[in-house]
Amino acid sequence: MLVYLLLALPPLVGVITVNTAPISDPMTTAQIYWGLTLLMMLTASLPLAAMLSCGPLVSNEVSDGTLVYLLTRRLSRQSVLLAKFLGAVSSLVAVAVLSQTFLFLAFVLGQYAMTGGELGAALLGGFVVVAVGTVVFAAVFNMISMIFRKPLSVGVGFLIVTEWIFLTLPVGIRRLTVGYHLRSLLNGITDSPALGELLTERAGDGLWPAGASGAVLVAIVAVALTTSAIIMMCREFTQAREEER
Amino acid sequence: MAVVIELEQLSKWYGEVMGLNNVTASIPSGITGLLGQNGAGKTTLLALATGQLRPSRGEIRVFGQRPWNNTALLSRIGYCPEGDSFWPGLSGRKFVRMLARLSGMTDRQACRAADWAIEQVGMTEHKGRRIAEYSRGMRQRTKIAQALVHDPELLILDEPLSGTDPVVRAELINLFKRMAEEGKTVIVSSHVLHEVAAMTENILLIDHGQLVADGNIHEVRSLLEGRRQRIAIGTPAGRKLATLLAPKEYIISLAIQEDGGLLLHTSDPERLQQELPRILLDNDIPCSEMASPDDNIRAVFGYLTRRPE
């Protein structure tokens, strides 16, 4: 339930802001909607939701005592982790996209039914970035949950440092955040000058080309998943069970 | 009898804590009882046999193969864990069917196999209900069903009779015996000697991670002769049950508990176990549990390990 609320909150705030703001230009209002909702989505809701649903993938099974049913079937440890990860990410992506869709429809019906073309591109870009961001944050938080015994507190700390504090530091450091590359990706996909301006302003520097940022995000996912798999092989399935005893 | 599991100087440590220490033994086909008090190392041994843990030292072979990271071997093993854990929201049938699917069956095969396994443990009538609504004994039977569902050659059951009432206990013991007659190997862990005695003569006794004795149960039981055992029976009709049991020569004393249950001392717990289900059924007496405090098995371990009781 908390995950759903986290994902629904940013678009809801967007709808309320746009519908109460004294702005007459449809495109400006649309950009405010997308800028607000996506920034909130990328910097707060999505990482927290990913952390809650994808973080303690295996440790939950250990503490619940159900891991033993999986470990004694004809399943390799790697396939258990992969299946759990993909399942968690799929459901998270579905919820994220649904929340965006429903609230975007509410937004369109309430304010801007006639600006379909421009908003359509932004909508598509938003969905792509939400989906990509979900996978990236899920992989990162899965790795955090593998490394640390208290994934929630460490994950929140990681978010505060990398996604919020880094954004207040000099420009080069901001490129170390996942959010920076998601913004670059969004900017490349939507190709909207006004939205690009908003995103660039938030990033504090010129955004990277979408392809380069996409490659960085893919690399982050690959490194996080590989690290998780190695740690799991070495420790999680043996030590966690042993500690449980 | 063919050897199914071989343990050779098998040890397992959890950091500084010893789970199993230098155990060498062979487990043949048929039923074998793994006896030991809580924390003796039974679950550790079973986890090693099912590939959940890797030995710290020594070797374990099941059907001649090492179980660790051996997924092909796991399809020949059915495991019923001791813990009372399930995924929330599932019915008994869905739970068993899901685990059948994870054993590599198609959906149709899994449905058929789940229905068969559930029937074996006498849960067909309740298979559509959520597990959360089950009694302890029903959950125990559902766990056994998931161990049976892929028709394994080796069944490893960790305390499968705990929490069951005497009638269900008798049914399950018959089921395990039937499985053994059909050629399966069954390993049953328990801390209650007479439970195991009702199933098999072949036992392994473990205490503090070490193998204390293995072989014939009669040798161990002879150590208990003359000792009385305490049995607690959970029933709202303790007084009526006491009246029926009082004339039995193997009943030493009877006491009605505050909750209506019955606490008795017996000189022959095995005979009590055999006769009690019939007495309960014939007289329509409900019974939720029969607990056997392990005073006497502790005495055996004390004797065998030369520790004071």
Side-chain angles (χ1 to χ4, degrees):
Chain A
M1 183 54 74
L2 189 58
V3 171
Y4 301 149
L5 286 175
L6 277 169
L7 292 173
L9 196 60
L12 194 60
V13 170
V15 169
I16 292 168
T17 306
V18 166
N19 282 281
T20 54
I23 301 166
S24 56
D25 173 25
M27 272 316 297
T28 308
T29 314
Q31 284 151 12
I32 288 174
Y33 169 79
W34 276 111
L36 192 61
T37 58
L38 284 171
L39 284 174
M40 280 179 69
M41 199 75 150
L42 299 179
T43 57
S45 297
L46 194 51
L48 283 169
M51 186 166 61
L52 286 173
S53 59
C54 302
L57 286 178
V58 176
S59 46
N60 272 356
E61 293 278 359
V62 173
S63 56
D64 293 347
T66 46
L67 182 65
V68 65
Y69 294 115
L70 303 177
L71 288 184
T72 51
R73 298 284 145 182
R74 211 175 61 181
L75 299 167
S76 68
R77 286 161 168 73
Q78 298 91 322
S79 61
V80 170
L81 177 72
L82 188 64
K84 288 188 69 63
F85 175 71
L86 291 179
V89 168
S90 307
S91 61
L92 196 58
V93 169
V95 173
V97 168
L98 269 179
S99 77
Q100 285 281 350
T101 307
F102 285 135
L103 287 151
F104 175 73
L105 287 176
F107 165 72
V108 168
L109 290 174
Q111 284 269 338
Y112 294 103
M114 54 195 141
T115 58
E118 287 285 340
L119 283 178
L123 178 66
L124 178 67
F127 285 167
V128 170
V129 171
V130 165
V132 171
T134 305
V135 173
V136 175
F137 281 120
V140 169
F141 287 114
N142 185 38
M143 183 179 71
I144 289 173
S145 80
M146 286 288 173
I147 296 172
F148 299 100
R149 287 287 167 215
K150 293 183 177 173
L152 196 63
S153 53
V154 175
V156 170
F158 169 83
L159 273 183
I160 290 170
V161 171
T162 63
E163 300 304 314
W164 293 327
I165 294 180
F166 275 21
L167 287 175
T168 66
L169 296 176
V171 171
I173 294 176
R174 298 178 192 182
R175 290 175 188 157
L176 297 174
T177 65
V178 172
Y180 173 88
H181 295 289
L182 289 175
R183 283 185 198 95
S184 298
L185 198 62
L186 179 63
N187 186 43
I189 294 170
T190 55
D191 199 25
S192 159
L195 186 56
E197 198 177 312
L198 192 67
L199 293 167
T200 307
E201 185 190 338
R202 178 71 178 157
D205 191 13
L207 293 165
W208 278 15
S213 281
V216 170
L217 295 173
V218 169
I220 291 172
V221 172
V223 168
L225 282 185
T226 308
T227 309
S228 302
I230 290 169
I231 294 168
M232 181 197 67
M233 289 292 290
C234 296
R235 196 193 66 191
E236 184 78 11
F237 277 91
T238 51
Q239 194 170 329
R241 272 197 63 81
E242 289 163 9
E243 284 179 2
E244 184 193 16
R245 284 163 209 282
Chain B
M1 280 191 282
V3 171
V4 175
I5 300 182
E6 290 174 277
L7 319 172
E8 201 177 313
Q9 296 181 317
L10 184 67
S11 298
K12 181 67 191 173
W13 291 284
Y14 304 117
E16 299 285 309
V17 180
M18 182 187 66
L20 212 58
N21 186 22
N22 204 28
V23 174
T24 299
S26 299
I27 298 178
S29 54
I31 303 181
T32 298
L34 185 59
L35 274 164
Q37 299 170 59
N38 292 329
K42 304 187 298 290
T43 301
T44 297
L45 177 54
L46 300 184
L48 287 161
T50 49
Q52 298 169 61
L53 296 174
R54 184 161 40 187
S56 304
R57 191 190 290 171
E59 195 158 63
I60 178 165
R61 287 183 175 272
V62 180
F63 296 120
Q65 300 174 45
R66 291 193 182 107
W68 174 255
N69 255 348
N70 189 343
T71 51
L73 178 64
L74 289 178
S75 62
R76 301 172 68 185
I77 302 174
Y79 179 63
C80 170
E82 182 185 7
D84 192 31
S85 308
F86 299 90
W87 288 285
L90 293 181
S91 68
R93 187 171 191 258
K94 275 189 182 164
F95 173 73
V96 178
R97 195 181 71 190
M98 185 186 82
L99 289 167
R101 292 279 285 131
L102 291 176
S103 297
M105 294 183 195
T106 62
D107 198 40
R108 180 176 287 193
Q109 287 170 334
C111 284
R112 253 199 319 261
D115 287 343
W116 171 81
I118 287 168
E119 189 187 341
Q120 296 299 305
V121 297
M123 285 288 291
T124 303
E125 197 183 328
H126 310 287
K127 67 182 180 183
R129 281 171 55 194
R130 281 158 42 100
I131 294 174
E133 298 164 6
Y134 284 178
S135 67
R136 177 94 194 276
M138 290 160 84
R139 292 200 299 272
Q140 201 68 15
R141 284 190 277 168
T142 304
K143 283 195 305 182
I144 295 169
Q146 66 78 31
L148 292 173
V149 73
H150 54 296
D151 197 20
E153 296 163 60
L154 168 61
L155 266 175
I156 297 182
L157 311 167
D158 197 355
E159 301 274 1
L161 302 178
S162 76
T164 55
D165 63 55
V167 177
V168 171
R169 196 173 296 203
E171 285 172 6
L172 288 177
I173 288 173
N174 285 337
L175 171 68
F176 303 152
K177 284 179 171 174
R178 202 173 67 233
M179 294 283 167
E181 282 165 12
E182 288 169 5
K184 294 186 194 308
T185 298
V186 183
I187 299 173
V188 181
S189 85
S190 175
H191 62 277
V192 183
L193 186 63
H194 66 261
E195 271 181 10
V196 173
M199 279 181 263
T200 181
E201 294 190 344
N202 190 38
I203 59 156
L204 289 180
L205 239 81
I206 295 183
D207 189 40
H208 285 71
Q210 290 183 310
L211 185 65
V212 179
D214 67 348
N216 193 296
I217 198 165
H218 296 302
E219 293 164 16
V220 176
R221 287 192 63 221
S222 65
L223 296 166
L224 291 177
E225 280 177 12
R227 293 174 188 275
R228 58 188 205 164
Q229 289 199 33
R230 199 167 46 137
I231 308 276
I233 300 173
T235 173
R239 198 168 293 279
K240 184 179 175 185
L241 184 59
T243 314
L244 293 162
L245 288 174
K248 307 282 181 189
E249 70 274 17
Y250 52 82
I251 299 296
I252 298 167
S253 68
L254 292 156
I256 309 296
Q257 302 294 94
E258 279 181 9
D259 60 358
L262 187 64
L263 181 70
L264 59 86
H265 284 91
T266 174
S267 57
D268 192 345
E270 194 177 339
R271 200 159 152 212
L272 174 69
Q273 166 125 343
Q274 283 168 357
E275 293 185 8
L276 188 62
R278 178 51 47 203
I279 294 170
L280 294 172
L281 286 173
D282 288 349
N283 295 282
D284 202 20
I285 297 174
C287 175
S288 58
E289 197 181 0
M290 184 168 106
S292 177
D294 54 2
D295 299 16
N296 289 288
I297 201 163
R298 193 173 294 139
V300 176
F301 287 122
Y303 175 83
L304 290 168
T305 56
R306 297 184 188 285
R307 281 196 303 270
E309 286 182 29

